[in-house]
Amino acid sequence: MNQLKSFSCYILQIGHMYGLHSVFEEFLEMAVCALSLGAKEDRYLEIVRNYEKPDAYLMSEAFGALVMEMDNGGKGLKDCFGDFYMEYISHGHNGQFFTPEPVCDLMARISNPSGVGERVADCCCGSGRMLLAAAKISRDSLFFGADIDRMCAMMCLINLCLNGLLGEVCWMDTLMNRFYAGWGIELHPEHCVPYIREISETESYMVLKLPDKKQEIVDKQVTKLGVSQQLLFEF
């Protein structure tokens, strides 16, 4: 019977006891830790200690249910996070309404990523729907996402990794070019499976490599005009 439950049913059940927002955020971080193949074991154990043992087991069952949902009848590339996030977590705050999947599919067909190793990037990736849509056309591309919301960055990261899509996701303010954390999705050198590796700002492809003086000018202009305005710069 448990296998028929969606991951969202598990999260709602645990969230009723511990608080839905914190449960969902910790579920995402635990998934990232699990997909890091042992590198984040200490952080995983630190989180899981916040839960009674039966509830910790429910978290693992939620992850199993997520994997089965993402399988999508063998086709994969299904975003199981976005609708749940909008309905139960963000409630549309800060304009967090994700692009509907059919629109993502249309935009991906227009851009038509097709080359092996071609980079596909979304600087405001949300749960990663646009990148998943691009992968429906070509899984051989490299996928790059960034979002100012940490939970969104983790949702996108998990979506890419569980679908075997290589690339990078950053938690960052792309308008201000400020990096907070980043992860690469790579093939493990020993096990040859996709895994998550934490990366530094200097390793990141999504961070613009600006001279210090030019970055200072960008920061001043953004502060003066307000972060709600989109600025275009020539680099």
Side-chain angles (χ1 to χ4, degrees):
M1 290 294 293
N2 285 344
Q3 291 185 348
L4 299 177
K5 292 171 64 175
S6 68
F7 97 94
S8 59
C9 291
Y10 286 107
I11 298 301
L12 290 171
Q13 180 181 344
I14 308 167
H16 179 71
M17 297 178 283
Y18 295 89
L20 184 56
H21 189 281
S22 62
V23 164
F24 184 61
E25 184 170 20
E26 290 185 334
F27 170 78
L28 293 174
E29 189 168 359
M30 289 170 71
V32 171
C33 291
L35 294 169
S36 299
L37 298 188
K40 306 291 288 183
E41 189 71 16
D42 290 344
R43 178 55 182 157
Y44 181 92
L45 294 174
E46 182 182 349
I47 298 171
V48 82
R49 290 191 191 102
N50 297 327
Y51 298 89
E52 297 293 332
K53 186 174 289 188
D55 302 323
Y57 284 136
L58 286 178
M59 291 286 255
S60 65
E61 290 181 21
F63 183 73
L66 174 69
V67 171
M68 287 189 288
E69 285 183 70
M70 282 189 171
D71 181 65
N72 194 24
K75 296 183 292 185
L77 303 176
K78 177 182 179 181
D79 173 28
C80 299
F81 291 130
D83 290 338
F84 179 87
Y85 179 81
M86 288 187 289
E87 182 173 356
Y88 294 106
I89 306 298
S90 73
H91 306 291
H93 292 168
N94 300 318
Q96 287 178 301
F97 296 101
F98 299 154
T99 306
E101 290 186 41
V103 178
C104 292
D105 292 339
L106 174 62
M107 295 175 68
R109 289 197 297 270
I110 292 173
S111 62
N112 192 33
S114 57
V116 175
E118 181 178 352
R119 294 187 178 100
V120 180
D122 186 349
C123 61
C124 187
C125 62
S127 56
R129 287 181 175 179
M130 198 71 69
L131 300 176
L132 294 178
K136 293 176 185 177
I137 298 174
S138 173
R139 284 179 171 270
D140 295 326
S141 299
L142 296 174
F143 300 89
F144 296 82
D147 204 284
I148 196 172
D149 187 301
R150 181 172 178 265
M151 279 198 282
C152 287
M154 288 193 291
M155 287 190 291
C156 180
L157 178 65
I158 296 165
N159 270 333
L160 294 184
C161 188
L162 285 179
N163 280 285
L165 305 176
L166 306 182
E168 173 191 320
V169 179
C170 289
W171 171 34
M172 65 178 291
D173 183 340
T174 51
L175 183 61
M176 297 285 283
N177 197 37
R178 289 178 179 166
F179 175 93
Y180 307 123
W183 306 268
I185 307 103
E186 305 167 354
L187 285 178
H188 193 277
E190 182 179 348
H191 304 295
C192 295
V193 295
Y195 83 113
I196 291 170
R197 181 179 68 86
E198 196 166 342
I199 62 174
S200 65
E201 181 175 353
T202 56
E203 294 177 274
S204 172
Y205 174 80
M206 292 297 290
V207 177
L208 294 177
K209 305 302 190 292
L210 303 176
D212 291 341
K213 191 169 185 63
K214 184 171 284 189
Q215 179 65 58
E216 182 181 345
I217 294 172
V218 170
D219 290 344
K220 286 181 179 179
Q221 289 180 339
V222 172
T223 301
K224 182 178 180 181
L225 295 176
V227 296
S228 61
Q229 297 190 34
Q230 179 64 51
L231 302 180
L232 300 178
F233 303 97
E234 293 182 1
F235 299 114

PDB file of all heavy atoms in Angstrom, residues 1 4 21 24 27-28 40 81 147 165 209 223 225:
ATOM      1  N   MET A   1       0.815  -1.206   0.000  1.00  0.00           N
ATOM      2  CA  MET A   1       0.000   0.000   0.000  1.00  0.00           C
ATOM      3  C   MET A   1       0.857   1.268   0.000  1.00  0.00           C
ATOM      4  O   MET A   1       0.575   2.223  -0.680  1.00  0.00           O
ATOM      5  CB  MET A   1      -0.933   0.005   1.218  1.00  0.00           C
ATOM      6  CG  MET A   1      -2.045  -1.030   1.130  1.00  0.00           C
ATOM      7  SD  MET A   1      -3.210  -0.668  -0.210  1.00  0.00           S
ATOM      8  CE  MET A   1      -3.948   0.831   0.415  1.00  0.00           C
ATOM      9  N   LEU A   4       1.974   2.916  -3.211  1.00  0.00           N
ATOM     10  CA  LEU A   4       1.015   3.641  -4.031  1.00  0.00           C
ATOM     11  C   LEU A   4       0.920   5.109  -3.619  1.00  0.00           C
ATOM     12  O   LEU A   4       0.326   5.905  -4.322  1.00  0.00           O
ATOM     13  CB  LEU A   4      -0.370   2.984  -3.921  1.00  0.00           C
ATOM     14  CG  LEU A   4      -0.456   1.527  -4.398  1.00  0.00           C
ATOM     15  CD1 LEU A   4      -1.862   0.983  -4.166  1.00  0.00           C
ATOM     16  CD2 LEU A   4      -0.083   1.412  -5.869  1.00  0.00           C
ATOM     17  N   HIS A  21       7.013  23.497   5.976  1.00  0.00           N
ATOM     18  CA  HIS A  21       8.104  24.210   5.305  1.00  0.00           C
ATOM     19  C   HIS A  21       9.452  23.606   5.670  1.00  0.00           C
ATOM     20  O   HIS A  21      10.281  23.309   4.792  1.00  0.00           O
ATOM     21  CB  HIS A  21       8.056  25.690   5.677  1.00  0.00           C
ATOM     22  CG  HIS A  21       8.992  26.551   4.897  1.00  0.00           C
ATOM     23  ND1 HIS A  21      10.347  26.634   5.186  1.00  0.00           N
ATOM     24  CD2 HIS A  21       8.789  27.363   3.823  1.00  0.00           C
ATOM     25  CE1 HIS A  21      10.926  27.457   4.337  1.00  0.00           C
ATOM     26  NE2 HIS A  21      10.012  27.919   3.498  1.00  0.00           N
ATOM     27  N   PHE A  24       9.888  19.953   4.261  1.00  0.00           N
ATOM     28  CA  PHE A  24      10.174  19.883   2.829  1.00  0.00           C
ATOM     29  C   PHE A  24      11.608  20.325   2.541  1.00  0.00           C
ATOM     30  O   PHE A  24      12.325  19.683   1.763  1.00  0.00           O
ATOM     31  CB  PHE A  24       9.190  20.751   2.044  1.00  0.00           C
ATOM     32  CG  PHE A  24       9.365  20.664   0.555  1.00  0.00           C
ATOM     33  CD1 PHE A  24       9.208  19.458  -0.113  1.00  0.00           C
ATOM     34  CD2 PHE A  24       9.685  21.788  -0.186  1.00  0.00           C
ATOM     35  CE1 PHE A  24       9.372  19.367  -1.485  1.00  0.00           C
ATOM     36  CE2 PHE A  24       9.845  21.712  -1.567  1.00  0.00           C
ATOM     37  CZ  PHE A  24       9.685  20.498  -2.215  1.00  0.00           C
ATOM     38  N   PHE A  27      13.863  17.571   3.704  1.00  0.00           N
ATOM     39  CA  PHE A  27      13.769  16.438   2.785  1.00  0.00           C
ATOM     40  C   PHE A  27      14.644  16.666   1.556  1.00  0.00           C
ATOM     41  O   PHE A  27      15.373  15.773   1.113  1.00  0.00           O
ATOM     42  CB  PHE A  27      12.316  16.224   2.351  1.00  0.00           C
ATOM     43  CG  PHE A  27      12.151  15.234   1.236  1.00  0.00           C
ATOM     44  CD1 PHE A  27      12.215  13.872   1.476  1.00  0.00           C
ATOM     45  CD2 PHE A  27      11.940  15.663  -0.069  1.00  0.00           C
ATOM     46  CE1 PHE A  27      12.065  12.947   0.444  1.00  0.00           C
ATOM     47  CE2 PHE A  27      11.800  14.755  -1.099  1.00  0.00           C
ATOM     48  CZ  PHE A  27      11.858  13.391  -0.845  1.00  0.00           C
ATOM     49  N   LEU A  28      14.594  17.874   0.999  1.00  0.00           N
ATOM     50  CA  LEU A  28      15.416  18.199  -0.166  1.00  0.00           C
ATOM     51  C   LEU A  28      16.901  18.083   0.172  1.00  0.00           C
ATOM     52  O   LEU A  28      17.679  17.502  -0.591  1.00  0.00           O
ATOM     53  CB  LEU A  28      15.101  19.611  -0.659  1.00  0.00           C
ATOM     54  CG  LEU A  28      13.708  19.848  -1.247  1.00  0.00           C
ATOM     55  CD1 LEU A  28      13.509  21.333  -1.557  1.00  0.00           C
ATOM     56  CD2 LEU A  28      13.486  19.021  -2.506  1.00  0.00           C
ATOM     57  N   LYS A  40      28.415  13.698   2.115  1.00  0.00           N
ATOM     58  CA  LYS A  40      27.660  14.553   3.030  1.00  0.00           C
ATOM     59  C   LYS A  40      26.966  13.723   4.107  1.00  0.00           C
ATOM     60  O   LYS A  40      25.898  14.086   4.593  1.00  0.00           O
ATOM     61  CB  LYS A  40      26.628  15.358   2.240  1.00  0.00           C
ATOM     62  CG  LYS A  40      27.182  16.163   1.093  1.00  0.00           C
ATOM     63  CD  LYS A  40      28.031  17.324   1.559  1.00  0.00           C
ATOM     64  CE  LYS A  40      27.215  18.417   2.162  1.00  0.00           C
ATOM     65  NZ  LYS A  40      28.038  19.581   2.565  1.00  0.00           N
ATOM     66  N   PHE A  81       8.227  18.155  -8.164  1.00  0.00           N
ATOM     67  CA  PHE A  81       8.349  19.150  -7.101  1.00  0.00           C
ATOM     68  C   PHE A  81       7.542  20.425  -7.335  1.00  0.00           C
ATOM     69  O   PHE A  81       6.987  20.994  -6.400  1.00  0.00           O
ATOM     70  CB  PHE A  81       9.822  19.558  -6.930  1.00  0.00           C
ATOM     71  CG  PHE A  81      10.706  18.499  -6.367  1.00  0.00           C
ATOM     72  CD1 PHE A  81      11.898  18.176  -6.998  1.00  0.00           C
ATOM     73  CD2 PHE A  81      10.377  17.839  -5.200  1.00  0.00           C
ATOM     74  CE1 PHE A  81      12.739  17.211  -6.465  1.00  0.00           C
ATOM     75  CE2 PHE A  81      11.215  16.871  -4.666  1.00  0.00           C
ATOM     76  CZ  PHE A  81      12.397  16.551  -5.304  1.00  0.00           C
ATOM     77  N   ASP A 147      19.232  29.741  -9.061  1.00  0.00           N
ATOM     78  CA  ASP A 147      18.052  30.388  -8.488  1.00  0.00           C
ATOM     79  C   ASP A 147      18.431  31.038  -7.167  1.00  0.00           C
ATOM     80  O   ASP A 147      19.298  30.537  -6.441  1.00  0.00           O
ATOM     81  CB  ASP A 147      16.925  29.382  -8.269  1.00  0.00           C
ATOM     82  CG  ASP A 147      15.558  30.051  -8.258  1.00  0.00           C
ATOM     83  OD1 ASP A 147      15.210  30.695  -7.245  1.00  0.00           O
ATOM     84  OD2 ASP A 147      14.841  29.951  -9.280  1.00  0.00           O
ATOM     85  N   LEU A 165      21.221  13.726 -15.681  1.00  0.00           N
ATOM     86  CA  LEU A 165      21.602  14.878 -16.501  1.00  0.00           C
ATOM     87  C   LEU A 165      22.781  15.586 -15.837  1.00  0.00           C
ATOM     88  O   LEU A 165      22.691  16.013 -14.680  1.00  0.00           O
ATOM     89  CB  LEU A 165      20.419  15.833 -16.655  1.00  0.00           C
ATOM     90  CG  LEU A 165      19.145  15.193 -17.215  1.00  0.00           C
ATOM     91  CD1 LEU A 165      18.006  16.210 -17.238  1.00  0.00           C
ATOM     92  CD2 LEU A 165      19.376  14.614 -18.603  1.00  0.00           C
ATOM     93  N   LYS A 209      32.643  35.833 -14.365  1.00  0.00           N
ATOM     94  CA  LYS A 209      33.985  36.133 -13.875  1.00  0.00           C
ATOM     95  C   LYS A 209      34.341  37.569 -14.250  1.00  0.00           C
ATOM     96  O   LYS A 209      34.888  37.854 -15.307  1.00  0.00           O
ATOM     97  CB  LYS A 209      35.006  35.146 -14.473  1.00  0.00           C
ATOM     98  CG  LYS A 209      34.650  33.682 -14.232  1.00  0.00           C
ATOM     99  CD  LYS A 209      34.516  33.352 -12.751  1.00  0.00           C
ATOM    100  CE  LYS A 209      34.396  31.857 -12.497  1.00  0.00           C
ATOM    101  NZ  LYS A 209      33.148  31.269 -12.972  1.00  0.00           N
ATOM    102  N   THR A 223      22.079  48.474  -6.844  1.00  0.00           N
ATOM    103  CA  THR A 223      21.599  49.050  -5.595  1.00  0.00           C
ATOM    104  C   THR A 223      20.852  50.355  -5.850  1.00  0.00           C
ATOM    105  O   THR A 223      19.801  50.621  -5.249  1.00  0.00           O
ATOM    106  CB  THR A 223      22.781  49.320  -4.638  1.00  0.00           C
ATOM    107  OG1 THR A 223      23.455  48.092  -4.391  1.00  0.00           O
ATOM    108  CG2 THR A 223      22.285  49.898  -3.329  1.00  0.00           C
ATOM    109  N   LEU A 225      19.283  51.361  -8.706  1.00  0.00           N
ATOM    110  CA  LEU A 225      18.056  51.208  -9.487  1.00  0.00           C
ATOM    111  C   LEU A 225      17.059  50.260  -8.842  1.00  0.00           C
ATOM    112  O   LEU A 225      15.878  50.296  -9.174  1.00  0.00           O
ATOM    113  CB  LEU A 225      18.400  50.689 -10.892  1.00  0.00           C
ATOM    114  CG  LEU A 225      19.235  51.644 -11.755  1.00  0.00           C
ATOM    115  CD1 LEU A 225      19.589  50.980 -13.072  1.00  0.00           C
ATOM    116  CD2 LEU A 225      18.478  52.950 -12.009  1.00  0.00           C
TER     117      LEU A 225
END
